[in-house]
Amino acid sequence: MNVKEYIQNNGRWLLVAALGVAVFCYFLFKLPFLMLAREQSQLFLWNTDYLVERLIIPGGLAQYLGEMIIQFYLNPLYGALWYGVLFVIVQMLTYGAFGKPQKWYFWLLSLVPSVVLVYLWTIIHFPMTLTVAIILALALANLVSVLNDKAQLALLIFLMPVGYWLIGPAIILAIIPYLYNKKHIPFVAGLVVLLVGCVVLSARLAPYPLAQLTRGVDYYWDDKKLGSYEEMAFDMRIRRNQASQQEMLNNFSPSTEALRSISTAFSVSDIAMQIGMVNIAQRAAFEAMEAAPNYNKSGRALRRLVETNLITGQTEVALKYIAILEQTTFYRGWAERMKQMAEQPELLNKHQYYHRLKEIYDNGKDVFFY
Amino acid sequence: MAKMYSSIRNIVLSIGCWALVACSPTPTNVTKVNQTPEIYPDYVGVTIPVDIAPLNFAMADDAFATIDVEVKGTKGGSIHANGDYADFDVDEWHQLLKQNKGGALTFAVCAKKDGQWTGYQEFTVNVSDEPLEAWGITYRRIPPSYEMYSKMGLYQRNLSNFDEEALLVNTQTPNQCLNCHTANRTNPDQFVFHVRGNHGATAIGKNGIELLKAKNDSLGGSMVYPYWHPGGRYCAFSTNKTSQMFHTNMKNKRIEVYDSSSDVFVYDTETHTVLGDTIIMKKYWAENTPAFSPDGKWLYFTTAKRQIYPTDYDKEKYSLCRISFDEKTGKLGEQVDTLQSAESTGKSYTWPRPSYDGRYLMYTQTDFGYFSIWHPEADLWLLDLQTGETRPMTEVNSERTESWHNWNVNSRWFLFTSRRENGLYTQIYLSMLDKQGQATKPFLLPQRDPKRYYRELLYSFNTPDFTSKPVDYDSYQTAMKLSGKERVATKFQ
């Protein structure tokens, strides 16, 4: 088979792969700061409590898996790779859920969910939970599509309550293959009623308002503190030592107003550390963490708080945070190194950066800031 | 929800753990040492009530992989635990405690590190015959944060086991803060709490939940720190305009919380009337932290001459005072008695909490200010109302903050919060006051796996109190009501 024939036979999948690569490039080169901003608003832990805390809330499994993916965004290269792969996965699952249509225009329609998700990925208000929920729902739809009528109905009756609890309202997508047969319409209505009943009942079990449960507890963050692209981009430049001193000083203010968004709070924390204002850096990092929209904690913030607590002599607090970071994938190694410093204070005194900050902290005049 | 959490957690753990439990090694070739073990929490020598949850503990040193504990009662009975921490069976524990009420338990601990077992000197835990007379405790859990706060909630905890249940969490009331859950002398049939935010309210629980408007225009602010009159009709509040300042270079101090103004008043729950009285709402003075005496005849409060902030922040020192109160008329007396004078001592007093038997008044003393949780020097003091003598409770105080104390209904037990462990995250401790007025060594609120729990917890315990029975109210209905528009307006007199 020559190249032309290969393309003719596999053109659609080559197109999807190419679009996946384009998505990868887009996020890596245009929106790396967005991926960093997503990662800094969570703290994914490999322990039972973290998992169970999510499983007891509707949509918790999707949230857990979504956060598992987002932890990789600490390196935007991995984040962009995830986006490219997820783009392709969603397209393939949509294609399968729609019964693998052969007509090219139906095939094109299978790209729509992927394209919509790409748009949503550019909006920080949409966490990865919705994407994972859609993927899992479409995967279940693919499973439904291979079963006979009775088995489909039985599975869907099981999935409405169980699937809702695990992935949220997106479970409704699992019904797609069942819709092809018009005779199923009354049963579909029944399944929808069942799902609605599950949502209403969940308001009695889960501590969230019904409106939030209906739209998915963690599908959307209605939060003003997430920050703008400009703030995220500036924060990234500071993290990468690409911001000039003048830029940093122009954008530094320890006031409450300056901590208006998570990204600006982290920027203030970074700048404050560089100019030796450790308590301000500490406060800004803490405020950033407490502002995380779904009440998550923040690996980046805890990392900063380890530093500031060691410098200010609150070693036990630093050790608490270190113990938590040791349960992460990408902060673990750093935490283990800092643990040595916590247990052997002389190492802190030998560290050029931390020792200097400690000297400034110990000898500086105390003033108040607001 | 908490029960669901416990159930799911237990299922997940038991899937992985049953095999491990079966394989936990037992002590062999034990090397005896002549010292008591360093355990976490430090329960060595504490005194506990007979109905407390198991005092599970681990070796303080993480290097110890396995612990083996044999517990024997001086009046008979024994239990055993073996694993990476001592996890006592709840029923067996209670049986042992009942059998040894008024006696003591001896703990024989062996622990394994680097393949070698070490056997320690036995230590004792006393089992008091003084009843706790409390089903559990209530508290708020909140991060020790600055201005932003994430998840917080009001919780109740069964003291006989490890069950915790959320009463209300702020995921149910988005963008709002919940605080100051206060029952009437540990009886949750009457309670009050606040919801702060755009759609806030003061919730009074008394034959149902009544939501008061968050602010009273005549008052100029919200109702803040509450304390019920024993009769149940009145509730004292403060009203505060609170602000924070943040230190740049103060050792062990991050935040200073202060009020630009505050007053105390009594609220009549039957007529929805704020009973203002200038004697406790003086201009240029900040009245605060009210508490009624157990007989309802006195209102304790603190007061300080207002200072200029930030320059004179450390000059605002509160005296501890009281004024008479007539339950029949709802009126205060005309003379204020000063029990502890800030001017004389140079210290500041806050959070007066009289014991329900009328004998003592426990309070917190700091160098200045009233928001003691951010003051490492804050300590508990005990005023003997019969003799007038006051003393620091050195048997329970530490080098770090002690505060937010409350009594159980028979005034033999008390709880308080402390930051002794790390200076930032507040934990709950319990202690007993014997008939001589001496407190026993405080013990940390038991948890199933306390080392992991307290090490990983990123929240502080706040304003704990005993509750004589479970708080019985519908969290869902309360949240629905809070999201509605119905609020009862209060009058000002």
Side-chain angles (χ1 to χ4, degrees), chain A residues 43 45 47-53 55-57 165 200 203-210 212 222-223 225 256 259 276-280 282-284 286-292 295-297 302 305 309 311-314 316-317 319-321 323-324 327 339 358 360-370, chain B residues 1-2 4-6 8-10 12-13 62 142-152 166 168-176 243-256 258 309-311 313 368 400 420-425 427 452-459 474-477 480 483:
Chain A
L43 175 70
L45 298 175
N47 68 37
T48 313
D49 280 338
Y50 189 85
L51 169 62
V52 172
E53 270 170 20
L55 291 180
I56 60 173
I57 303 294
W165 196 269
V200 170
R204 274 279 181 183
L205 298 172
Y208 288 90
L210 181 58
Q212 192 170 353
D222 183 13
D223 202 297
K225 296 183 292 296
T256 300
L259 306 177
M277 301 186 83
V278 175
N279 261 358
I280 293 177
Q282 180 163 265
R283 185 211 165 181
F286 210 109
E287 302 278 34
M289 182 165 74
E290 293 305 305
Y295 303 135
N296 248 337
K297 298 300 176 186
L302 281 190
L305 293 172
N309 279 283
I311 292 165
T312 58
Q314 296 198 277
E316 297 102 331
V317 178
L319 282 167
K320 176 194 265 287
Y321 298 148
I324 295 169
Q327 299 176 69
K339 191 173 181 179
K358 192 169 178 349
I360 296 171
Y361 175 75
D362 287 343
N363 299 306
K365 185 184 171 192
D366 184 43
V367 295
F368 282 114
F369 60 100
Y370 296 84
Chain B
M1 181 50 58
M4 186 193 300
Y5 178 93
S6 294
I8 294 177
R9 189 171 189 281
N10 289 340
V12 171
L13 282 177
D62 288 342
I142 182 173
S145 48
Y146 295 78
E147 299 215 20
M148 296 298 305
Y149 51 85
S150 58
K151 192 170 182 182
M152 72 160 77
L168 196 65
V169 289
N170 66 345
T171 50
Q172 296 170 276
T173 57
N175 303 315
Q176 293 182 318
S243 303
Q244 295 186 101
M245 308 188 294
F246 310 104
H247 291 276
T248 56
N249 287 76
M250 175 71 81
K251 273 257 184 247
N252 300 323
K253 269 193 186 171
R254 302 180 180 210
I255 299 174
E256 184 61 35
Y258 67 96
Y309 281 84
T311 48
Y313 77 100
F368 57 88
R400 290 170 168 155
R420 62 190 59 197
E421 197 160 296
N422 54 45
L424 182 63
Y425 288 87
Q427 298 165 319
R452 183 192 54 76
Y453 179 85
Y454 286 114
R455 175 180 285 178
E456 294 175 8
L457 187 66
L458 289 174
Y459 294 87
D474 192 324
S475 174
Y476 172 77
Q477 291 294 347
M480 292 285 286
S483 65

Side-chain angles (χ1 to χ4, degrees), chain B residues 135-159:
Chain B
W135 169 86
I137 58 175
T138 58
Y139 45 79
R140 180 171 72 155
R141 237 193 359 245
I142 182 173
S145 48
Y146 295 78
E147 299 215 20
M148 296 298 305
Y149 51 85
S150 58
K151 192 170 182 182
M152 72 160 77
L154 305 175
Y155 297 84
Q156 63 179 345
R157 159 73 193 271
N158 186 333
L159 278 179

Side-chain angles (χ1 to χ4, degrees), chain B residues 168-322:
Chain B
L168 196 65
V169 289
N170 66 345
T171 50
Q172 296 170 276
T173 57
N175 303 315
Q176 293 182 318
C177 168
L178 311 169
N179 54 31
C180 299
H181 179 271
T182 306
N184 191 345
R185 293 165 62 108
T186 80
N187 184 352
D189 289 342
Q190 284 188 340
F191 66 87
V192 59
F193 68 91
H194 302 301
V195 180
R196 299 265 184 258
N198 285 340
H199 200 53
T202 292
I204 304 268
K206 192 178 160 187
N207 306 318
I209 299 272
E210 183 178 66
L211 298 181
L212 307 180
K213 261 188 174 175
K215 290 184 181 181
N216 179 298
D217 292 335
S218 301
L219 198 57
S222 309
M223 304 154 112
V224 184
Y225 305 119
Y227 198 98
W228 285 94
H229 186 274
R233 173 172 174 175
Y234 301 99
C235 191
F237 287 93
S238 61
T239 179
N240 310 59
K241 288 196 176 125
T242 305
S243 303
Q244 295 186 101
M245 308 188 294
F246 310 104
H247 291 276
T248 56
N249 287 76
M250 175 71 81
K251 273 257 184 247
N252 300 323
K253 269 193 186 171
R254 302 180 180 210
I255 299 174
E256 184 61 35
V257 176
Y258 67 96
D259 291 344
S260 53
S261 69
S262 69
D263 289 304
V264 163
F265 61 92
V266 177
Y267 174 70
D268 185 338
T269 62
E270 288 183 8
T271 63
H272 302 110
T273 307
V274 171
L275 306 172
D277 192 319
T278 52
I279 201 164
I280 51 171
M281 299 176 102
K282 284 185 175 169
K283 201 175 178 183
Y284 305 124
W285 288 81
E287 290 87 3
N288 211 341
T289 64
F292 279 107
S293 62
D295 59 9
K297 293 179 180 172
W298 297 97
L299 177 68
Y300 296 100
F301 64 99
T302 54
T303 182
K305 198 151 190 199
R306 284 172 50 196
Q307 302 295 323
I308 296 168
Y309 281 84
T311 48
D312 296 337
Y313 77 100
D314 55 356
K315 294 188 175 62
E316 184 131 328
K317 304 192 185 199
Y318 290 77
S319 295
L320 177 58
C321 302
R322 71 174 187 181

Side-chain angles (χ1 to χ4, degrees), chain A residues 190-211:
Chain A
L191 289 168
V192 170
V193 168
L194 176 59
L195 178 60
V196 168
C198 291
V199 173
V200 170
L201 183 62
S202 69
R204 274 279 181 183
L205 298 172
Y208 288 90
L210 181 58

